[in-house]
Amino acid sequence: MGRYVARRLLQAVPLLFIISVILFVLMQSIGDPLATMSGRRPTRSADRERLKRQLGLDQPVLMQYVYWLVGNDWTSIDLDGDGVRETRGERKGVLRGDLGRSLKKRQPVLDLIGERLPNTLLLMGTYEMVVLVGAVALGIYSAVRQYSIFDHAVTGVSFVLYSMPIFFIALLSMYLLAVKPKQWGLPYFPTVGMFEPEAGKTVPQVIWHMVLPVLSLSLISLAGYSRYMRSSMLEVLSQDYIRTAKSKGLERRYVLFAHALKNASLPIVTLIGLDLPTLLGGAIVTERIFGWPGMGRLFFDSVSDADTPVVMAILMMVSVAVVVFQILTDVIYAWLDPRIRYE
Amino acid sequence: MKSKWHFVLWTVFLVAGLLVAACQPTPTVAPPTPTQAAVQPTQPPPQPTQPPPEPTQPPPQPTQPPARKVATFIWTQEFDTLSPLYTNMWFSTTTFELWQCAAWLFDDQNNPFPSLVTELPSVENGMISPDGKVITLKLRDDAVWSDGEPLTSEDFAFTYEMYVNPANTVASTYPYDQLEKLETPDPQTVVMTFKEPFAPWMIMWRGILPAHVLRPVFEAEGSLNEADWNKNPTVGCGPYVFAEWESGSFARFVANEKYWLGKPKIDEIFFRFVPDDASQIAALQAGDGDLGTFIAWSDIPTLEKAGVEVVPAFSMYNEGIYFYMHPEKGHPALQDLRVRKAIALATDRFSLCTDLLLGGTVPAATDWDQTPWNDPSLQPWPYDPDQAKALLDEAGWVDSNGDGVRDKDGVELVLDYGTTTREIRKDTQAVLQQQLAAVGIKVNLLNAEADLFFSGYGEGGPAARGEYDLFEYSTSPSQPPDPDTADWLCSEIPSDEYPDGSNWQANCDEELDALFAKQRTQVDLEQRMATFHQITKHIFENVYWLGLWQDPDTWAVGKRLKNVKISGATPLYSIMEWELVE
Amino acid sequence: MSDTTEALSAIPQFAADELEAPPLSLRQLAWRRFRRHKMALFGAVMLALLFVYCFGGALWVSEDYANYTDTKARLQAPSVSHPFGTDTVGRDILARTIYGGQISLIIGLTAMLVELVIGVLIGALSGYYGGWLDSILMRFTEAVFVIPQLFLLIVMAKFFGGKVPNLTLLGRTFSGSVVVVILIIGATSWVYLARIVRAEFISLKEREFILAARAIGTPARQIIFGHILPNSIAPIIVSATLSVAAAILSESYISFLGMGVQAPTATWGNMLEGAMNYIEEAPWFWIFPGTLIVLTVLSINFLGDGLRDALDPRSRVV
């Protein structure tokens, strides 16, 4: 197993390298970060020229990539525009943990991400748990009561929810749970932000503000997950060992939770393994609609401003997480299912 | 049956439990009492994880009988950074009147009045030299930073140094790069010597850096790029002091106890960042916000119904269309004044303002509308499609092949009309396309994200490269309230040799060029104004620019705020006088 | 995964109860299974109706009318003259859903074709040849797979945005952004398909009939496209059908975010842009195009599911 993991990690290095090159090339023309730097007017030509030089954007793409990857503290750069490289570079490069500085916010990218990541993890972690618990419950229930009215209803609703764009669910839930109750004078859910500024960032406030985004996020995934769980459960329930356990006279609930659930959850492990790392990136659309100060909004705003260091950092972070989680998933899977052996 | 219910209950319980568990890590640090923050502004900036104090719970101090007055400002965009060096973003610079100080400010009529200086420099009082190159500033002797240090000419000199030092990646070196030198003969005197007479000098000194805080940082790190002060400017010199800023959520500024002009009437300014206009309108309607900005014209009736007042502040912005007039690369039709005039006459800018903008504004005649620099006799072109058709016929553009589009010498009158992706601009495009089609001019609509649209020639910006025959955006001639601009100079036409040029309309008019050069050195106000009247008239009569609507900043002022005056150039200049009543 | 449509790969595998099939031809068998799949039939009928709505509706309403602005009739509630109401510049929403639907459906179908070409080509080459080619192609596939689709879509939309000129086709002018959207959706969604095709090729290429074809010297191109591909067509059809739904969703996401198809060309997605501002004031502004997206995607998902059961019964169990 150790060797397997080591080999997978080694394979990940060229993979991440390819990804970083592709992304870096894409970054070169997702827009002009300097265009909006001068507030509401197009940037003055003299400033544009100076900023390009100071930020290193005048260098050839290859050089910019090298600076991004390994930094530029081993060489000198030209700050004053006299053509002489007189100043020692200060960047350390991604490989040494320096993700660069935001062109727009002028702060280290690491700080920006550090501010937003906890918010995203809170939202997405809650969502993941709601989905997981809900999907397992719904899946088992539908599987046990196969072809009951409940099962058919869940199937139908799942399909509809699954076909909805998340923003439509979000708009609908805002309309039905916030706008309308408000008009009728009923209590309603907040639609924007993490907390009311007047009330402060308290636990009840944050939970209260999380309801609508978590609901919108969960409904779609719940639909997919619970169907998955249902078919996986159905398959397990038809296996011989379940029949044996039943015929031994074991209590029904015991068979269901102790024997069937464990094995039926295996495919869910894979799903979660693929899902978790992308949660780091946050939910772009949901965070935007509900004004949640998370990574998704940071990403979208940074793309809009062509703030390439931030965009690059978020994408690489998510990529690394996906690769790591793929390996982790395989390991956990093998650990849960003794039939699987990695050579 | 019973087990089924158990199961459901169990699930519900588990979900609820997980919800609570997931939220546990939210910090619950006790809020700092606001007076602490105000009395000790030098204390390290509060951790971003700390919650804001609850205004509903006044701090337990018997010496403060009235409740703290907290005004909430709704900002639809977050600050990028707060340092005057590094930002030109409107949402950042607008906070300067809270926590920063300026040599002079502008009132709601955009008239300057002294703030840090004892009097405004002029040729009459001898503070501007007769040749216009040397300007002397006399500073007040009672101005102090919020930590008690005196604010002196040393701070001015340091600010100048930082702007022009190549180690700092400042947003713009202008206008400080126009200085030849800056001397400080004594703590209250600043002598600025310019390379050329520099008429727009009043756009300088809107933010001053505290030398005693930042010089050590600069000496240690070699630049101010990474200074913590940029994000946590705990030392300032305005009526308020920065308290905290939580990314994506809020920022707070509390009254500056040491402000040298007294104490403001509102105790705290709370900035709430919302993601979009809809949230802003909802917050203002519900009374959750006391001040909002950039209200869409179409939202004004909604707000007024809720008792929120909408105040326009004229910051010299006007929405308009530029004609791309490059003699070789441009569309031949646009070289003809009659065609440009026909486009003006064929577009109903009046109903655009009454219907789409719900009557909130009126068409602009020139880009200097509503300022003394505009020739007062100029009125927007009328809407007259018949005359437009006649002009096009006269210019030889007729529909000779019957395809519904006019043509001349085998060239169809098809124009590319580009703008950004803002909703109101897309809507305007759709309306104008229909009106121009009615007189036989076909326009293709193109849109680009703002940062692509405003890209320079070298970066492939479509407007700068002349890919649009007509391009629309809102701009002010220069840093308000100064009227200067380089956008019409022949030397600024971008090309492969000079990709950074700003004359994107590629319009070289010798007469106009000379007039712009002339006003730039006219330090005398009356003379400069006369030159600008000539300039505005010239641009208007030649239809080099077609005004769509005057685009003042629209501020929404909630019911609780009283005595609010807003300037276009330095919006929150009178924040000291604002009051909050329940 | 929540926002991306990638989760489509995890779509529930619909387990329909099925009796032992009587001896019938494969095609009959498939049709029989499909017909018995009520939801799939419903999907097919619904989809046919939607096509009639979008393309047949165009016979009644002209595109000029769909783009006709009337600033006096701004944001009007549904009425007899405007059954779906009007938008912010007084355009008729009903007419715009007709023409917007055309673009949305065309984007869905063509993006699927782009995806099909890339996915089949990469999957076939890497499955058939194996070796270093397989390694390289699969590393590349993995690289694209690793970045969440919506992130990649946004970056690529920005990359190509405004770089394609408007084009005129059949007397109609289309925004160049339509082409951009088709290409980027196709270019970011082929990964799953490539993997399916590769797996099919790997298992089929060792089968006797392929070995025989090789032995008699059939050229590789003919083996790939003439022999293996037709035999792995079932999962490709299923996956392609479902990816039309995914493409329509993707289009609506980036258009909703304002980075997709630009006005005046309407799509169901970009009609929803700015809907947030009118959630209370003008619900008809977003309910109609939103519902049409849901109906279309739902029908295609039903259809795809029925097709899977009919053509590819092996894949029924996850």
Side-chain angles (χ1 to χ4, degrees), chain B residues 504-524:
Chain B
W504 289 353
Q505 61 274 27
N507 181 349
C508 179
D509 181 320
E510 303 289 345
E511 197 184 329
L512 199 56
D513 213 53
L515 285 171
F516 270 110
K518 184 169 155 200
Q519 60 80 23
R520 207 160 184 273
T521 56
Q522 285 175 314
V523 186
D524 184 89

Side-chain angles (χ1 to χ4, degrees), chain B residues 37 254 476:
Chain B
V254 294
S476 82

Side-chain angles (χ1 to χ4, degrees), chain C residues 41-111:
Chain C
L41 271 185
F42 168 77
V45 171
M46 198 63 224
L47 208 54
L49 287 177
L50 282 163
F51 265 88
V52 169
Y53 177 76
C54 294
F55 292 92
L59 300 174
W60 296 96
V61 182
S62 72
E63 191 182 20
D64 284 343
Y65 179 65
N67 286 336
Y68 180 79
T69 61
D70 178 4
T71 50
K72 300 263 184 297
R74 191 175 172 275
L75 287 179
Q76 286 189 348
S79 62
V80 179
S81 53
H82 300 292
F84 286 3
T86 60
D87 71 1
T88 49
V89 278
R91 290 177 293 215
D92 182 60
I93 290 185
L94 173 68
R96 285 182 81 70
T97 54
I98 290 174
Y99 282 89
Q102 292 181 3
I103 305 293
S104 285
L105 290 172
I106 290 172
I107 287 178
L109 290 168
T110 43

Side-chain angles (χ1 to χ4, degrees), chain C:
Chain C
M1 197 67 83
S2 42
D3 278 345
T4 66
T5 50
E6 240 173 73
L8 210 59
S9 55
I11 194 163
Q13 317 288 318
F14 219 68
D17 182 32
E18 209 172 275
L19 300 166
E20 277 301 309
L24 287 170
S25 81
L26 268 176
R27 194 163 301 180
Q28 282 174 312
L29 201 64
W31 171 238
R32 233 182 119 105
R33 286 204 213 99
F34 182 79
R35 217 180 34 191
R36 218 175 318 133
H37 203 303
K38 289 203 193 71
M39 280 173 152
L41 271 185
F42 168 77
V45 171
M46 198 63 224
L47 208 54
L49 287 177
L50 282 163
F51 265 88
V52 169
Y53 177 76
C54 294
F55 292 92
L59 300 174
W60 296 96
V61 182
S62 72
E63 191 182 20
D64 284 343
Y65 179 65
N67 286 336
Y68 180 79
T69 61
D70 178 4
T71 50
K72 300 263 184 297
R74 191 175 172 275
L75 287 179
Q76 286 189 348
S79 62
V80 179
S81 53
H82 300 292
F84 286 3
T86 60
D87 71 1
T88 49
V89 278
R91 290 177 293 215
D92 182 60
I93 290 185
L94 173 68
R96 285 182 81 70
T97 54
I98 290 174
Y99 282 89
Q102 292 181 3
I103 305 293
S104 285
L105 290 172
I106 290 172
I107 287 178
L109 290 168
T110 43
M112 178 268 284
L113 288 180
V114 173
E115 176 192 340
L116 210 59
V117 170
I118 306 178
V120 167
L121 214 60
I122 289 188
L125 289 179
S126 106
Y128 185 75
Y129 288 106
W132 61 267
L133 187 65
D134 182 34
S135 297
I136 291 180
L137 288 178
M138 279 302 111
R139 281 296 89 75
F140 181 62
T141 309
E142 235 175 288
V144 179
F145 176 76
V146 159
I147 308 166
Q149 195 193 2
L150 191 60
F151 286 72
L152 205 50
L153 273 178
I154 289 174
V155 170
M156 288 180 76
K158 199 76 195 292
F159 185 89
F160 290 108
K163 293 201 177 98
V164 177
N166 287 1
L167 43 131
T168 309
L169 202 68
L170 303 172
R172 289 171 62 183
T173 311
F174 295 96
S175 165
S177 50
V178 176
V179 181
V180 171
V181 168
I182 292 170
L183 287 179
I184 62 173
I185 293 176
T188 51
S189 57
W190 51 269
V191 177
Y192 182 62
L193 186 69
R195 290 187 165 183
I196 297 180
V197 174
R198 176 174 174 270
E200 287 285 325
F201 268 65
I202 288 177
S203 80
L204 282 173
K205 75 174 178 188
E206 303 300 334
R207 299 271 281 275
E208 289 79 2
F209 70 103
I210 300 297
L211 293 178
R214 256 198 229 165
I216 58 169
T218 318
R221 215 177 68 180
Q222 204 183 331
I223 297 184
I224 292 177
F225 295 106
H227 296 283
I228 307 187
L229 201 56
N231 279 292
S232 46
I233 204 77
I236 295 180
I237 289 180
V238 174
S239 164
T241 310
L242 292 175
S243 69
V244 174
I248 289 175
L249 278 181
S250 297
E251 186 275 322
S252 75
Y253 278 119
I254 46 172
S255 290
F256 176 77
L257 291 171
M259 293 186 155
V261 176
Q262 296 298 337
T265 304
T267 72
W268 288 336
N270 75 6
M271 289 177 72
L272 285 161
E273 193 195 340
M276 262 189 296
N277 295 328
Y278 304 101
I279 188 161
E280 192 172 349
E281 197 185 336
W284 58 88
F285 187 77
W286 50 274
I287 282 180
F288 291 108
T291 310
L292 283 165
I293 294 177
V294 177
L295 275 181
T296 312
V297 174
L298 183 67
S299 314
I300 299 176
N301 281 347
F302 278 156
L303 186 70
D305 224 65
L307 283 176
R308 188 204 319 268
D309 281 354
L311 300 174
D312 194 16
R314 279 174 302 159
S315 69
R316 271 199 310 137
V317 179
V318 182

Side-chain angles (χ1 to χ4, degrees), chain A residues 41 47 101 106 115 141, chain B residues 4 169 172 225 231 476 500:
Chain A
R41 293 175 44 73
D47 288 325
R101 302 170 61 78
R106 311 301 186 96
E115 282 170 352
Y141 198 78
Chain B
K4 217 194 271 179
T169 57
S172 178
N225 295 345
K231 206 201 157 200
S476 82
D500 292 326

Side-chain angles (χ1 to χ4, degrees), chain B residues 45 132 154 206 230 240 275 277 298 319 332 365 399 403 466 475 554 576:
Chain B
E154 154 73 2
R206 193 186 173 193
N230 298 343
Y240 290 87
D277 294 349
S298 51
E319 181 90 9
D399 185 10
D403 63 351
T475 183
T554 42
M576 282 281 291

Side-chain angles (χ1 to χ4, degrees), chain A residues 29-30 162 166 227 275 278 303, chain C residues 1 3 7 12 158-159 253:
Chain A
S29 63
I30 64 163
Y162 197 78
I166 186 135
R227 296 291 81 195
D275 226 9
T278 55
V303 173
Chain C
M1 197 67 83
D3 278 345
K158 199 76 195 292
F159 185 89
Y253 278 119

Side-chain angles (χ1 to χ4, degrees), chain B residues 266-288:
Chain B
I266 299 172
D267 299 298
E268 179 177 323
I269 305 289
F270 188 97
F271 283 90
R272 182 177 180 183
F273 305 125
V274 300
D276 52 56
D277 294 349
S279 318
Q280 167 168 271
I281 299 302
L284 289 167
Q285 257 182 305
D288 293 341

